[in-house]
Coordinates of all heavy atoms in Angstrom, one line a residue:
V1 N 96.5 62.0 -179.4 CA 97.0 62.8 -178.3 C 96.9 62.0 -177.0 O 95.8 61.5 -176.7 CB 96.2 64.1 -178.3 CG1 96.7 64.9 -177.1 CG2 96.4 64.9 -179.5
D2 N 98.0 61.9 -176.3 CA 98.0 61.2 -175.1 C 97.5 62.1 -174.0 O 98.2 63.1 -173.6 CB 99.4 60.7 -174.8 CG 99.4 59.9 -173.4 OD1 98.3 59.5 -173.0 OD2 100.5 59.8 -172.9
T3 N 96.3 61.9 -173.4 CA 95.8 62.8 -172.4 C 95.7 62.1 -171.0 O 95.4 62.7 -170.0 CB 94.4 63.2 -172.7 OG1 93.5 62.1 -172.9 CG2 94.4 64.1 -174.0
F4 N 96.1 60.8 -171.0 CA 96.0 60.1 -169.7 C 97.0 60.7 -168.7 O 96.6 60.8 -167.5 CB 96.4 58.6 -170.0 CG 96.2 57.8 -168.7 CD1 94.9 57.5 -168.2 CD2 97.2 57.2 -168.1 CE1 94.7 56.8 -167.1 CE2 97.0 56.4 -166.9 CZ 95.8 56.2 -166.5
G5 N 98.1 61.1 -169.1 CA 99.1 61.7 -168.1 C 98.5 63.0 -167.5 O 98.6 63.2 -166.3
A6 N 98.0 63.8 -168.3 CA 97.4 65.1 -167.8 C 96.2 64.8 -166.9 O 96.0 65.4 -165.8 CB 96.9 66.0 -168.9
Y7 N 95.4 63.8 -167.2 CA 94.3 63.4 -166.4 C 94.7 62.9 -165.0 O 94.2 63.3 -164.0 CB 93.5 62.3 -167.1 CG 92.4 61.7 -166.3 CD1 91.2 62.4 -166.1 CD2 92.5 60.4 -165.8 CE1 90.2 61.8 -165.4 CE2 91.5 59.8 -165.0 CZ 90.3 60.6 -164.8 OH 89.3 60.0 -164.1
C8 N 95.8 62.1 -165.0 CA 96.3 61.6 -163.7 C 96.9 62.7 -162.9 O 96.7 62.8 -161.7 CB 97.4 60.6 -164.0 SG 96.7 59.0 -164.6
Y9 N 97.5 63.7 -163.6 CA 98.1 64.8 -162.8 C 97.0 65.6 -162.1 O 97.1 65.9 -161.0 CB 98.8 65.7 -163.8 CG 99.3 67.0 -163.2 CD1 100.3 67.1 -162.3 CD2 98.7 68.2 -163.6 CE1 100.7 68.3 -161.7 CE2 99.1 69.4 -163.1 CZ 100.1 69.5 -162.1 OH 100.5 70.7 -161.6
F10 N 95.9 65.9 -162.9 CA 94.8 66.7 -162.3 C 94.1 65.9 -161.2 O 93.6 66.4 -160.2 CB 93.9 67.3 -163.3 CG 94.4 68.5 -164.0 CD1 94.8 68.4 -165.3 CD2 94.6 69.6 -163.3 CE1 95.4 69.5 -165.9 CE2 95.1 70.8 -163.9 CZ 95.5 70.7 -165.2
L11 N 94.0 64.6 -161.4 CA 93.4 63.7 -160.3 C 94.2 63.8 -159.1 O 93.7 63.9 -158.0 CB 93.3 62.3 -160.8 CG 92.0 61.8 -161.4 CD1 92.1 60.3 -161.8 CD2 90.9 62.0 -160.4
S12 N 95.5 63.8 -159.2 CA 96.4 63.9 -158.0 C 96.2 65.2 -157.3 O 96.3 65.3 -156.1 CB 97.9 63.7 -158.4 OG 98.4 64.8 -159.1
L13 N 96.0 66.3 -158.0 CA 95.8 67.6 -157.4 C 94.5 67.6 -156.6 O 94.4 68.3 -155.6 CB 95.7 68.7 -158.5 CG 97.0 69.0 -159.2 CD1 96.7 70.1 -160.3 CD2 98.1 69.5 -158.3
M14 N 93.5 66.8 -157.0 CA 92.2 66.8 -156.3 C 92.4 66.2 -154.9 O 91.6 66.5 -154.0 CB 91.2 66.0 -157.1 CG 90.9 66.6 -158.5 SD 90.5 68.3 -158.5 CE 88.7 68.2 -158.3
N15 N 93.4 65.5 -154.7 CA 93.7 64.9 -153.3 C 94.3 65.9 -152.4 O 94.3 65.6 -151.2 CB 94.6 63.6 -153.5 CG 93.9 62.5 -154.1 OD1 92.7 62.3 -153.9 ND2 94.6 61.7 -154.9
D16 N 94.8 67.0 -152.9 CA 95.4 68.0 -152.0 C 94.9 69.4 -152.4 O 95.5 70.0 -153.2 CB 96.9 67.9 -152.1 CG 97.7 68.7 -151.1 OD1 97.0 69.6 -150.4 OD2 98.9 68.5 -150.9
P17 N 93.9 69.8 -151.7 CA 93.3 71.1 -152.1 C 94.2 72.3 -152.0 O 94.1 73.2 -152.8 CB 92.1 71.3 -151.1 CG 91.8 69.9 -150.6 CD 93.1 69.2 -150.7
D18 N 95.2 72.2 -151.1 CA 96.2 73.3 -150.9 C 97.1 73.4 -152.2 O 97.4 74.5 -152.7 CB 97.0 73.2 -149.7 CG 96.2 73.3 -148.4 OD1 95.3 74.1 -148.4 OD2 96.6 72.7 -147.4
V19 N 97.5 72.3 -152.7 CA 98.3 72.3 -153.9 C 97.4 72.8 -155.1 O 97.9 73.5 -155.9 CB 98.8 70.8 -154.2 CG1 99.5 70.8 -155.6 CG2 99.8 70.4 -153.1
L20 N 96.2 72.3 -155.1 CA 95.3 72.7 -156.2 C 95.1 74.3 -156.2 O 95.3 74.9 -157.2 CB 94.0 72.1 -156.1 CG 92.9 72.4 -157.2 CD1 93.5 72.0 -158.6 CD2 91.6 71.7 -156.9
R21 N 94.9 74.9 -155.0 CA 94.8 76.3 -154.9 C 96.1 77.0 -155.3 O 96.0 78.1 -156.0 CB 94.4 76.7 -153.5 CG 92.9 76.7 -153.3 CD 92.5 77.3 -152.0 NE 92.9 76.6 -150.8 CZ 92.3 75.5 -150.3 NH1 91.2 75.1 -150.9 NH2 92.8 74.9 -149.3
S22 N 97.2 76.5 -155.0 CA 98.5 77.1 -155.4 C 98.7 77.1 -156.9 O 99.5 77.9 -157.4 CB 99.6 76.5 -154.6 OG 99.9 75.2 -155.2
K23 N 98.1 76.2 -157.6 CA 98.2 76.1 -159.0 C 97.2 77.0 -159.8 O 97.3 77.1 -161.0 CB 98.1 74.7 -159.5 CG 99.1 73.8 -158.8 CD 100.2 73.5 -159.8 CE 101.2 72.5 -159.1 NZ 102.5 72.8 -159.4
C24 N 96.3 77.6 -159.1 CA 95.2 78.4 -159.7 C 95.7 79.8 -159.8 O 96.4 80.3 -159.0 CB 93.9 78.4 -158.9 SG 93.2 76.8 -158.8
H25 N 95.1 80.5 -160.8 CA 95.4 81.9 -161.0 C 94.1 82.6 -161.5 O 93.3 81.9 -162.2 CB 96.5 82.2 -162.0 CG 96.3 81.6 -163.3 ND1 96.7 80.3 -163.6 CD2 95.8 82.0 -164.4 CE1 96.4 80.0 -164.8 NE2 95.8 81.0 -165.4
T26 N 93.9 83.8 -161.2 CA 92.7 84.5 -161.6 C 93.1 85.5 -162.7 O 94.1 86.2 -162.6 CB 92.1 85.3 -160.5 OG1 91.7 84.4 -159.5 CG2 90.8 86.0 -160.9
K27 N 92.4 85.5 -163.8 CA 92.7 86.4 -164.9 C 91.4 87.2 -165.2 O 90.3 86.9 -164.9 CB 93.0 85.6 -166.2 CG 94.3 84.8 -166.0 CD 95.5 85.7 -166.1 CE 96.7 84.8 -166.1 NZ 97.9 85.6 -166.2
M28 N 91.7 88.3 -165.9 CA 90.6 89.2 -166.4 C 90.8 89.4 -167.9 O 91.9 89.7 -168.3 CB 90.6 90.5 -165.6 CG 89.5 91.5 -166.0 SD 89.7 93.1 -165.1 CE 89.6 92.5 -163.4
V29 N 89.7 89.3 -168.6 CA 89.7 89.6 -170.0 C 88.5 90.5 -170.3 O 87.6 90.6 -169.5 CB 89.6 88.3 -170.9 CG1 90.9 87.5 -170.8 CG2 88.4 87.4 -170.6
Y30 N 88.4 91.0 -171.5 CA 87.4 92.0 -171.9 C 86.8 91.6 -173.2 O 87.4 91.0 -174.1 CB 88.0 93.4 -172.0 CG 88.8 93.8 -170.8 CD1 90.1 93.6 -170.7 CD2 88.1 94.4 -169.7 CE1 90.8 94.0 -169.5 CE2 88.8 94.8 -168.6 CZ 90.1 94.6 -168.5 OH 90.8 95.0 -167.4
R31 N 85.5 92.0 -173.4 CA 84.8 91.8 -174.6 C 83.8 92.9 -174.8 O 83.1 93.3 -173.8 CB 84.0 90.5 -174.6 CG 83.1 90.3 -175.8 CD 82.6 88.9 -175.9 NE 81.6 88.7 -177.0 CZ 81.8 88.8 -178.3 NH1 83.1 88.9 -178.7 NH2 80.9 88.6 -179.2
A32 N 83.8 93.6 -175.9 CA 83.0 94.7 -176.2 C 82.0 94.3 -177.4 O 82.5 93.7 -178.4 CB 83.8 95.9 -176.5
I33 N 80.8 94.7 -177.2 CA 79.8 94.5 -178.3 C 78.7 95.6 -178.3 O 78.7 96.4 -177.4 CB 79.1 93.1 -178.1 CG1 78.4 93.0 -176.8 CG2 80.1 91.9 -178.3 CD1 77.5 91.8 -176.6
R34 N 77.9 95.5 -179.4 CA 76.8 96.4 -179.5 C 75.5 95.7 -179.0 O 75.3 94.6 -179.5 CB 76.6 96.9 -180.9 CG 77.8 97.7 -181.4 CD 77.5 98.4 -182.7 NE 78.7 99.0 -183.3 CZ 79.2 100.1 -182.8 NH1 78.7 100.8 -181.9 NH2 80.3 100.6 -183.4
L35 N 74.7 96.3 -178.2 CA 73.5 95.6 -177.7 C 72.4 96.6 -177.8 O 72.6 97.8 -177.7 CB 73.7 95.2 -176.2 CG 74.7 94.1 -175.9 CD1 74.8 93.9 -174.4 CD2 74.3 92.8 -176.6
S36 N 71.1 96.1 -177.9 CA 70.0 96.9 -177.9 C 69.7 97.3 -176.4 O 70.3 96.7 -175.5 CB 68.7 96.2 -178.4 OG 68.4 95.1 -177.5
K37 N 68.8 98.3 -176.2 CA 68.5 98.7 -174.8 C 67.9 97.5 -174.0 O 68.1 97.4 -172.8 CB 67.6 99.9 -174.8 CG 68.2 101.2 -175.2 CD 67.3 102.3 -175.2 CE 68.0 103.6 -175.7 NZ 67.1 104.8 -175.7
E38 N 67.1 96.7 -174.7 CA 66.5 95.6 -174.1 C 67.5 94.5 -173.6 O 67.4 94.0 -172.5 CB 65.4 94.9 -175.0 CG 64.2 95.8 -175.3 CD 64.5 96.8 -176.4 OE1 65.4 96.7 -177.2 OE2 63.7 97.8 -176.4
E39 N 68.5 94.3 -174.5 CA 69.5 93.4 -174.2 C 70.4 93.9 -173.0 O 70.8 93.1 -172.1 CB 70.4 93.1 -175.4 CG 69.7 92.3 -176.5 CD 70.5 92.3 -177.8 OE1 71.1 93.3 -178.2 OE2 70.6 91.2 -178.4
I40 N 70.6 95.2 -173.0 CA 71.4 95.8 -171.9 C 70.7 95.6 -170.6 O 71.3 95.2 -169.5 CB 71.7 97.2 -172.1 CG1 72.7 97.4 -173.3 CG2 72.2 97.9 -170.9 CD1 72.9 98.8 -173.8
E41 N 69.4 95.8 -170.6 CA 68.6 95.6 -169.3 C 68.6 94.2 -168.9 O 68.7 93.9 -167.7 CB 67.1 96.1 -169.5 CG 67.0 97.6 -169.6 CD 67.6 98.3 -168.4 OE1 67.4 97.9 -167.3 OE2 68.4 99.3 -168.6
M42 N 68.5 93.2 -169.8 CA 68.6 91.8 -169.5 C 69.9 91.4 -168.8 O 69.9 90.7 -167.8 CB 68.4 90.9 -170.8 CG 68.2 89.5 -170.5 SD 69.7 88.4 -170.7 CE 70.5 88.9 -172.2
Y43 N 71.0 92.0 -169.3 CA 72.3 91.7 -168.7 C 72.4 92.4 -167.4 O 73.0 91.8 -166.4 CB 73.4 92.2 -169.6 CG 73.8 91.1 -170.7 CD1 73.5 91.3 -172.0 CD2 74.5 90.0 -170.3 CE1 73.8 90.4 -173.0 CE2 74.8 89.0 -171.3 CZ 74.5 89.2 -172.6 OH 74.8 88.3 -173.5
K44 N 71.9 93.6 -167.2 CA 71.9 94.3 -165.9 C 71.2 93.5 -164.8 O 71.7 93.4 -163.7 CB 71.3 95.6 -166.0 CG 72.1 96.7 -166.6 CD 71.4 98.0 -166.6 CE 72.3 99.1 -167.2 NZ 71.5 100.4 -167.2
T45 N 70.1 92.8 -165.2 CA 69.4 92.0 -164.1 C 70.1 90.7 -163.8 O 69.7 90.1 -162.8 CB 67.9 91.7 -164.6 OG1 68.0 91.0 -165.8 CG2 67.1 93.0 -164.8
S46 N 71.1 90.4 -164.6 CA 71.7 89.1 -164.3 C 73.1 89.3 -163.8 O 73.9 88.3 -163.7 CB 71.8 88.3 -165.6 OG 72.5 88.9 -166.6
V47 N 73.5 90.5 -163.4 CA 74.8 90.7 -162.8 C 75.0 89.8 -161.5 O 74.1 89.6 -160.7 CB 75.0 92.2 -162.4 CG1 76.2 92.4 -161.5 CG2 75.0 93.0 -163.6
G48 N 76.1 89.1 -161.5 CA 76.4 88.2 -160.4 C 76.0 86.8 -160.6 O 76.2 85.9 -159.8
T49 N 75.3 86.5 -161.7 CA 74.9 85.2 -162.0 C 75.8 84.6 -163.1 O 76.6 85.3 -163.7 CB 73.4 85.1 -162.5 OG1 73.3 85.8 -163.8 CG2 72.5 85.7 -161.5
Y50 N 75.7 83.3 -163.3 CA 76.4 82.6 -164.4 C 75.8 82.8 -165.7 O 74.6 82.5 -165.8 CB 76.6 81.1 -164.0 CG 77.2 80.3 -165.1 CD1 78.6 80.3 -165.2 CD2 76.5 79.6 -166.0 CE1 79.3 79.6 -166.2 CE2 77.1 78.9 -167.0 CZ 78.5 78.9 -167.1 OH 79.1 78.2 -168.1
K51 N 76.5 83.3 -166.7 CA 76.0 83.4 -168.0 C 76.9 82.7 -169.0 O 78.1 82.7 -168.8 CB 75.8 84.9 -168.5 CG 74.8 85.7 -167.6 CD 73.5 85.1 -167.7 CE 72.6 85.9 -168.7 NZ 71.3 85.3 -168.7
A52 N 76.4 82.2 -170.1 CA 77.3 81.6 -171.1 C 76.8 82.0 -172.5 O 75.6 82.0 -172.7 CB 77.2 80.0 -170.9
W53 N 77.8 82.3 -173.3 CA 77.5 82.5 -174.7 C 77.6 81.2 -175.4 O 78.5 80.4 -175.1 CB 78.4 83.5 -175.3 CG 78.2 84.9 -174.8 CD1 77.1 85.7 -175.0 CD2 79.2 85.8 -174.1 NE1 77.3 86.9 -174.4 CE2 78.6 87.0 -173.9 CE3 80.5 85.6 -173.7 CZ2 79.2 88.0 -173.3 CZ3 81.1 86.6 -173.0 CH2 80.5 87.8 -172.8
T54 N 76.6 80.9 -176.3 CA 76.6 79.5 -176.9 C 77.5 79.4 -178.1 O 77.5 78.4 -178.8 CB 75.1 79.2 -177.3 OG1 74.6 80.2 -178.2 CG2 74.3 79.1 -176.0
A55 N 78.2 80.4 -178.4 CA 79.2 80.4 -179.5 C 80.5 80.9 -179.1 O 80.7 81.4 -178.0 CB 78.6 81.2 -180.7
F56 N 81.5 80.7 -179.9 CA 82.8 81.2 -179.6 C 82.8 82.7 -179.5 O 82.2 83.4 -180.3 CB 83.8 80.8 -180.7 CG 85.2 81.4 -180.5 CD1 86.1 80.8 -179.7 CD2 85.6 82.6 -181.2 CE1 87.3 81.4 -179.4 CE2 86.8 83.1 -181.0 CZ 87.7 82.5 -180.1
S57 N 83.4 83.3 -178.5 CA 83.4 84.7 -178.2 C 84.8 85.1 -178.0 O 85.5 84.7 -177.1 CB 82.5 85.1 -177.0 OG 81.2 84.8 -177.3
S58 N 85.3 86.0 -178.9 CA 86.7 86.4 -178.7 C 86.8 87.5 -177.6 O 85.8 88.2 -177.3 CB 87.3 87.0 -180.0 OG 86.5 88.1 -180.4
T59 N 87.9 87.5 -176.9 CA 88.2 88.4 -175.8 C 89.6 88.9 -175.9 O 90.4 88.4 -176.8 CB 88.0 87.7 -174.4 OG1 89.0 86.7 -174.3 CG2 86.6 87.2 -174.2
S60 N 89.9 89.9 -175.1 CA 91.3 90.5 -175.1 C 91.7 90.7 -173.7 O 90.9 91.0 -172.8 CB 91.3 91.8 -175.9 OG 92.6 92.4 -175.8
K61 N 93.0 90.7 -173.5 CA 93.5 91.1 -172.2 C 93.7 92.6 -172.1 O 94.0 93.1 -171.1 CB 94.9 90.4 -171.9 CG 94.7 88.9 -171.7 CD 96.0 88.2 -171.3 CE 96.7 87.8 -172.5 NZ 98.0 87.0 -172.2
N62 N 93.6 93.3 -173.2 CA 93.8 94.7 -173.3 C 92.5 95.5 -173.4 O 91.8 95.4 -174.5 CB 94.7 95.0 -174.5 CG 95.1 96.5 -174.6 OD1 94.3 97.4 -174.3 ND2 96.3 96.7 -175.0
Q63 N 92.1 96.2 -172.4 CA 90.8 96.8 -172.3 C 90.7 97.9 -173.4 O 89.6 98.1 -174.1 CB 90.5 97.4 -171.0 CG 89.2 98.1 -170.9 CD 88.9 98.6 -169.5 OE1 89.5 98.3 -168.5 NE2 87.9 99.5 -169.4
E64 N 91.7 98.7 -173.6 CA 91.7 99.8 -174.6 C 91.4 99.2 -176.0 O 90.7 99.8 -176.8 CB 93.0 100.6 -174.6 CG 93.1 101.4 -173.3 CD 94.4 102.1 -173.3 OE1 95.2 102.2 -174.3 OE2 94.8 102.6 -172.2
V65 N 92.1 98.1 -176.4 CA 91.9 97.5 -177.7 C 90.4 97.0 -177.8 O 89.8 97.3 -178.8 CB 92.8 96.4 -177.9 CG1 92.5 95.6 -179.2 CG2 94.3 96.9 -178.0
T66 N 89.9 96.4 -176.8 CA 88.6 95.9 -176.8 C 87.5 96.9 -177.0 O 86.5 96.7 -177.7 CB 88.3 95.1 -175.5 OG1 89.3 94.1 -175.3 CG2 87.0 94.4 -175.5
E67 N 87.7 98.1 -176.4 CA 86.7 99.1 -176.4 C 86.4 99.6 -177.9 O 85.4 100.3 -178.1 CB 87.1 100.3 -175.5 CG 86.9 99.9 -174.0 CD 87.5 100.9 -173.1 OE1 88.2 101.8 -173.5 OE2 87.1 100.8 -171.9
Q68 N 87.3 99.3 -178.8 CA 87.1 99.7 -180.2 C 86.0 98.9 -180.9 O 85.5 99.3 -181.9 CB 88.4 99.5 -181.0 CG 89.5 100.4 -180.5 CD 90.8 100.0 -181.2 OE1 90.8 99.5 -182.3 NE2 91.9 100.3 -180.6
F69 N 85.6 97.8 -180.3 CA 84.6 96.9 -180.9 C 83.2 97.1 -180.5 O 82.3 96.4 -181.0 CB 85.0 95.5 -180.7 CG 86.3 95.1 -181.4 CD1 87.5 95.1 -180.6 CD2 86.3 94.8 -182.7 CE1 88.7 94.9 -181.3 CE2 87.5 94.5 -183.3 CZ 88.7 94.5 -182.6
G70 N 82.9 98.0 -179.6 CA 81.5 98.3 -179.2 C 81.4 99.1 -178.0 O 82.4 99.2 -177.2
P71 N 80.2 99.7 -177.7 CA 80.1 100.6 -176.6 C 79.8 99.8 -175.3 O 79.9 100.4 -174.2 CB 78.9 101.5 -177.0 CG 78.1 100.6 -177.9 CD 79.1 99.8 -178.6
V72 N 79.5 98.5 -175.3 CA 79.2 97.8 -174.1 C 80.3 96.9 -173.8 O 80.8 96.0 -174.6 CB 77.9 96.9 -174.3 CG1 77.6 96.1 -173.1 CG2 76.7 97.8 -174.6
L73 N 80.9 97.1 -172.6 CA 82.1 96.3 -172.2 C 81.8 95.3 -171.2 O 81.2 95.6 -170.1 CB 83.2 97.3 -171.7 CG 84.5 96.7 -171.2 CD1 85.3 96.1 -172.5 CD2 85.3 97.7 -170.5
F74 N 82.1 94.0 -171.5 CA 82.0 93.0 -170.5 C 83.4 92.8 -169.9 O 84.4 92.7 -170.6 CB 81.6 91.6 -171.1 CG 80.2 91.6 -171.6 CD1 79.9 91.9 -172.9 CD2 79.2 91.3 -170.7 CE1 78.5 91.9 -173.3 CE2 77.9 91.2 -171.1 CZ 77.5 91.6 -172.4
I75 N 83.5 92.7 -168.6 CA 84.7 92.5 -167.8 C 84.6 91.1 -167.3 O 83.7 90.8 -166.4 CB 85.0 93.5 -166.7 CG1 85.1 94.9 -167.4 CG2 86.3 93.1 -166.0 CD1 85.1 96.0 -166.3
I76 N 85.4 90.1 -167.7 CA 85.2 88.7 -167.4 C 86.4 88.2 -166.5 O 87.5 88.3 -167.0 CB 85.1 87.9 -168.7 CG1 84.0 88.4 -169.6 CG2 84.9 86.4 -168.4 CD1 84.1 87.9 -171.0
N77 N 86.0 87.8 -165.3 CA 87.0 87.2 -164.4 C 86.9 85.7 -164.5 O 85.8 85.2 -164.4 CB 86.8 87.7 -163.0 CG 87.0 89.2 -162.9 OD1 88.1 89.7 -163.1 ND2 86.0 89.9 -162.5
F78 N 88.0 85.0 -164.5 CA 87.9 83.5 -164.5 C 89.2 83.0 -163.7 O 90.2 83.7 -163.6 CB 87.9 83.0 -165.9 CG 89.1 83.2 -166.7 CD1 90.1 82.2 -166.8 CD2 89.2 84.3 -167.5 CE1 91.2 82.4 -167.5 CE2 90.4 84.5 -168.3 CZ 91.3 83.6 -168.3
T79 N 89.0 81.8 -163.3 CA 90.1 81.1 -162.6 C 90.6 80.0 -163.5 O 89.8 79.2 -164.1 CB 89.7 80.5 -161.3 OG1 89.2 81.6 -160.5 CG2 90.8 79.8 -160.6
G80 N 91.9 79.9 -163.7 CA 92.5 78.9 -164.5 C 93.6 78.1 -163.7 O 93.9 78.5 -162.6
H81 N 94.1 77.1 -164.3 CA 95.2 76.3 -163.7 C 96.5 76.5 -164.5 O 96.4 76.5 -165.7 CB 94.8 74.9 -163.6 CG 93.5 74.7 -162.8 ND1 93.5 74.7 -161.4 CD2 92.2 74.5 -163.2 CE1 92.3 74.5 -161.0 NE2 91.5 74.4 -162.1
S82 N 97.6 76.6 -163.8 CA 98.9 76.7 -164.5 C 99.5 75.3 -164.5 O 99.1 74.4 -163.9 CB 99.7 77.7 -163.8 OG 99.8 77.4 -162.4

């Protein structure tokens, strides 16, 4: 897979922050799971901090569909590049 072209493209964006910002978009996805009361408290104390799951975690853009998978709903905002 030739990745050099994509690498050069993103490097060129770094030289112009306005162009880089114009190519960014914010998205929201959802993940629902079952947690113990202790796990819920741990997540509550970490609101606003960076957290990472160490395994693949599926998400959905549809909140209603996601809510079928558990009573605890994570709302995940992220920024991507188009």
